[in-house]
Amino acid sequence: MLASETFPAHRFKESIFKPYSTSGSASVDDLASVNKTLTSAATTSSSPDTHAAVDIAPTASSVEFETARKMLTNNSSSSSNNSNNNNNNNNNDAKDDISGFVASHPAAPFEGFIRACVDEIIKLAVFQGTNRSTKVVEWHEPAELRQLFDFQLRDKGEPQEKLRELLRETIRFSVKTGHPYFINQLYSGVDPYALVGQWLTDALNPSVYTYEVAPLFTLMEEQVLAEMRRIVGFPNGGKGDGIFCPGGSIANGYAISCARYTYAPESKKNGLFNAKPLIIFTSEDAHYSVEKLAMFMGFGSEHVVKIATNEVGKMRLSDLEDQVRRCLDNGWQPLMVSATAGTTVLGAFDDLTGIGDLCRKYNMWMHVDAAWGGGALMSKKYRHLLNGIERADSVTWNPHKLLAASQQCSTFLTRHQLVLGQCHSTNAAYLFQKDKFYDTSYDTGDKHIQCGRRADVFKFWFMWKAKGNLGLESHVEKVFRMAEFFTAKVRERPGFELVLESPECTNISFWYVPPSLRTMERDREFYDKLHKVAPKVKERMIKKGSMMITYQPLRQLPNFFRLVLQNSCLEESDMIYFLDEIESLAKNL
Ligand SMILES: *Cc1c(COP(=O)(O)O)cnc(C)c1O
């Protein structure tokens, strides 16, 4: 006998628009049938389990509503009707009904809870947390924070009131990265459309590996990636392939993987053991993920050659060619160049046309890491910064950076239509069945190294839909305009000094020299003292909560501040605030 023959038949009565608990005719019968389906095929209709479920069913919804009402008014005294008598009659038994509810199903008592939580998140995290009059961060030492927040997990669940308090405290003790004065990192702001998009994907909870479980998101990914390739300028209107990745770092790893497969296809089977070393070239200012992923993938960091940058942070092409020659002299194989379009610290754009020429000349894969600067492609005024990107074999582009989609939203794009699939597929028969009834070329999951995967596409598609190309363009142009305004102010204001006279992107690096150092000779002692200014100002800033800006040293340069702009709600007055605030925090240094 087939297992399916003993399986109870479904009744497709309930629609998501008509919850069974509110329908008068949804009787014991309906619920019993649902219950039978849920208990396994082995359960017979006379099992005690089923009886128990039937007995509870008629009263369940009213009890749930009543409990929910009590939870919300924080007034609990009703006792449990639950037949499994595990109640120990303590004073919050109604709360136990909810927290002891094991199914993850949004039954009636949860609706009030979900709505109340979402309301509070909107009020506290989305609006209050991004108001200029509030702190960016409420700082506490780790030991202190451990005391202030109830991290402990216990045998017994917590009542909903306590959970809501924990939500409020989580918001309170978290950094408000959507706050206009959070200019600390390469992402910031809260885009309302991206936020709603992200919430919807969390509600639907899809995994984008097969058309079967994510039909709409599969097609949406194709659409968005094709559009991005077209904007990059790949030939034939943007032909090729692409994927959404968990971060630009992983996207850079995909570039290495595709390059390796293309130039050494046998490596898919044999690995890199006993093979000729393959060499990756990138600049000394490139993102660390290139080296990290090369190590992760078995190349070894020795086989990532760092090319020196020039005085404005761009890869030196003469040095690149020298290193490629040296690699050939050693009998190694030059595999790829990972150029950077918008370096993480200085915001420099490598000469993509020149690098493209060298890649062609020495037959190397050309990758452009435009994780940060890629957003500039949306602007007619600034896309020239990435001239030559259309010649790349592959591109990393993070919409969660310059375009301000919420974390994470990263893409890997390639002009080659088949490489991702050829390189990564293993044809797992339990997920990518070839005998499905629909066109399985839409089961795109096998070209990823992930199995389950979030639908990061949706929030980006939704905000793109809301703003249009023109909206994204004006967003990008606004943040560039603010960066130019800020640069001009730094240039003219006493005590402030630019690291690069003309920064290309919206990250602006600068020193603040306090009055006590201004008359000093620019010797070793001066630089040692200047090196300590930024960390001290940063400490005061965080403790006050007034803003967050990052700092770092670079090669021989002492610590400098780096303003990073990608929030287009920032105005000129905010730029002045940043300078005033740094000046005031540095008082008496
Ligand atoms: C941020 C960044 C990355 C890494 O992206 P994640 O999404 O943070 O992993 C890679 N390259 C550059 C140039 C970056 O600025």
Side-chain angles (χ1 to χ4, degrees):
M1 193 167 62
L2 290 171
S4 58
E5 287 175 33
T6 63
F7 211 81
H10 283 276
R11 294 195 200 175
F12 293 102
K13 266 194 170 171
E14 297 84 24
S15 124
I16 55 169
F17 303 109
K18 207 165 61 115
Y20 64 78
S21 61
T22 59
S23 136
S25 66
S27 60
V28 177
D29 239 27
D30 293 88
L31 289 166
S33 126
V34 169
N35 256 295
K36 271 189 225 166
T37 311
L38 292 176
T39 52
S40 79
T43 310
T44 67
S45 60
S46 62
S47 91
D49 276 9
T50 314
H51 276 300
V54 172
D55 290 340
I56 303 163
T59 56
S61 60
S62 53
V63 171
E64 284 165 353
F65 277 126
E66 181 60 12
T67 315
R69 193 188 59 75
K70 291 213 166 98
M71 298 309 315
L72 291 170
T73 53
N74 196 20
N75 167 23
S76 57
S77 57
S78 92
S79 66
S80 173
N81 274 347
N82 207 313
S83 64
N84 62 348
N85 254 317
N86 63 353
N87 207 308
N88 52 9
N89 278 330
N90 61 16
N91 60 358
N92 58 355
D93 41 9
K95 288 171 186 173
D96 288 350
D97 278 353
I98 308 290
S99 46
F101 193 84
V102 286
S104 23
H105 183 78
F110 295 97
E111 180 172 346
F113 178 68
I114 293 170
R115 284 186 192 280
C117 291
V118 169
D119 260 4
E120 228 150 32
I121 294 171
I122 292 172
K123 191 173 109 205
L124 301 176
V126 179
F127 287 98
Q128 195 169 306
T130 58
N131 188 311
R132 283 176 177 79
S133 66
T134 61
K135 287 183 171 192
V136 180
V137 55
E138 179 185 321
W139 166 258
H140 297 282
E141 295 290 341
E144 198 186 354
L145 190 52
R146 250 185 222 114
Q147 295 300 314
L148 285 168
F149 188 84
D150 179 13
F151 288 99
Q152 189 72 44
L153 300 167
R154 305 185 177 84
D155 283 343
K156 205 161 164 310
E158 305 281 2
Q160 290 186 348
E161 261 318 309
K162 170 74 188 286
L163 296 172
R164 287 177 56 193
E165 187 189 324
L166 288 170
L167 275 188
R168 287 190 287 272
E169 288 180 358
T170 300
I171 295 170
R172 175 179 162 198
F173 296 126
S174 291
V175 172
K176 310 303 183 298
T177 66
H179 195 291
Y181 299 159
F182 178 85
I183 47 168
N184 198 70
Q185 234 71 56
L186 295 151
Y187 69 93
S188 71
V190 185
D191 184 277
Y193 303 106
L195 177 70
V196 170
Q198 182 127 298
W199 281 355
L200 176 60
T201 39
D202 283 349
L204 290 172
N205 198 27
S207 188
V208 196
Y209 36 44
T210 60
Y211 185 83
E212 181 179 334
V213 294
L216 188 116
F217 297 125
T218 300
L219 299 185
M220 191 179 277
E221 281 193 343
E222 281 201 354
Q223 181 82 30
V224 170
L225 293 165
E227 191 57 21
M228 292 175 82
R229 288 194 303 271
R230 194 189 60 73
I231 290 166
V232 162
F234 286 146
N236 306 315
K239 271 227 155 46
D241 201 1
I243 52 186
F244 277 80
C245 303
S249 302
I250 303 300
N252 286 339
Y254 274 105
I256 298 172
S257 182
C258 290
R260 176 174 65 184
Y261 181 80
T262 301
Y263 287 88
E266 68 288 350
S267 66
K268 183 172 180 183
K269 180 160 163 274
N270 300 338
L272 291 174
F273 300 112
N274 303 316
K276 182 160 145 176
L278 303 166
I279 308 298
I280 298 164
F281 303 89
T282 197
S283 92
E284 58 183 336
D285 282 3
H287 192 262
Y288 62 78
S289 55
V290 177
E291 179 174 355
K292 214 177 250 267
L293 270 293
M295 297 184 321
F296 190 66
M297 294 167 64
F299 283 69
S301 57
E302 282 284 294
H303 299 113
V304 179
V305 176
K306 307 272 181 62
I307 308 299
T309 50
N310 65 14
E311 59 295 339
V312 291
K314 294 173 193 275
M315 192 190 290
R316 282 183 198 273
L317 297 196
S318 55
D319 198 37
L320 173 59
E321 185 156 19
D322 288 350
Q323 295 291 346
V324 171
R325 288 235 180 84
R326 181 175 306 173
C327 162
L328 289 166
D329 291 346
N330 283 340
W332 296 350
Q333 183 176 342
L335 176 69
M336 72 182 275
V337 179
S338 182
T340 312
T343 56
T344 310
V345 176
L346 295 178
F349 289 82
D350 283 342
D351 170 4
L352 303 180
T353 304
I355 289 170
D357 289 342
L358 285 174
C359 285
R360 197 158 299 173
K361 181 169 172 189
Y362 293 99
N363 189 27
M364 297 181 285
W365 183 276
M366 177 184 178
H367 176 62
V368 178
D369 177 0
W372 170 228
L377 290 166
M378 299 306 298
S379 154
K380 288 183 265 313
K381 185 169 175 200
Y382 294 98
R383 69 163 291 139
H384 69 88
L385 292 165
L386 298 104
N387 277 350
I389 194 172
E390 68 284 352
R391 302 170 59 175
D393 292 288
S394 61
V395 169
T396 292
W397 178 359
N398 282 4
H400 76 230
K401 289 190 168 173
L402 209 39
L403 295 182
S406 37
Q407 293 248 56
Q408 282 182 308
C409 194
S410 299
T411 62
F412 172 78
L413 309 166
T414 171
R415 67 165 61 223
H416 304 285
Q417 255 173 309
L418 301 175
V419 67
L420 275 165
Q422 290 172 339
C423 173
H424 301 119
S425 62
T426 55
N427 301 307
Y430 60 85
L431 186 57
F432 304 111
Q433 304 90 330
K434 291 298 173 210
D435 51 0
K436 287 185 183 177
F437 60 92
Y438 60 84
D439 178 357
T440 56
S441 68
Y442 288 100
D443 288 355
T444 52
D446 211 15
K447 60 189 182 192
H448 294 259
I449 53 169
Q450 284 174 277
C451 176
R453 200 164 54 81
R454 293 173 56 87
D456 288 332
V457 64
F458 183 70
K459 58 193 162 198
F460 182 43
W461 175 86
F462 196 53
M463 65 184 276
W464 198 340
K465 196 85 174 149
K467 294 161 193 249
N469 292 331
L470 295 176
L472 293 179
E473 177 173 43
S474 50
H475 161 83
V476 168
E477 296 189 352
K478 172 85 183 287
V479 288
F480 270 87
R481 194 163 72 246
M482 282 306 123
E484 284 154 18
F485 177 83
F486 184 83
T487 306
K489 291 291 155 199
V490 169
R491 213 177 267 135
E492 71 194 25
R493 190 154 166 155
F496 288 88
E497 292 181 28
L498 288 164
V499 174
L500 291 182
E501 211 33 53
S502 303
E504 289 181 288
C505 203
T506 64
N507 30 349
I508 313 298
S509 297
F510 62 97
W511 288 283
Y512 177 66
V513 186
S516 64
L517 302 188
R518 286 183 206 163
T519 51
M520 280 181 75
E521 208 169 312
R522 301 259 162 142
D523 54 10
R524 178 85 257 153
E525 196 196 340
F526 168 82
Y527 287 113
D528 284 348
K529 286 196 160 148
L530 184 59
H531 192 59
K532 297 194 178 97
V533 170
K536 193 67 207 166
V537 171
K538 179 76 184 257
E539 180 189 341
R540 291 177 178 179
M541 178 185 293
I542 295 248
K543 289 182 173 165
K544 184 175 170 196
S546 56
M547 63 183 277
M548 278 179 76
I549 184 172
T550 192
Y551 73 85
Q552 66 280 292
L554 184 69
R555 296 186 279 280
Q556 297 86 345
L557 300 176
N559 279 322
F560 53 86
F561 291 109
R562 170 170 49 120
L563 164 114
V564 198
L565 296 180
Q566 66 289 86
N567 182 345
S568 51
C569 87
L570 295 188
E571 302 295 342
E572 292 183 356
S573 53
D574 296 314
M575 303 301 124
I576 305 293
Y577 170 84
F578 297 142
L579 295 172
D580 288 347
E581 186 63 16
I582 288 171
E583 204 171 76
S584 115
L585 290 164
K587 218 167 247 160
N588 69 39
L589 279 188

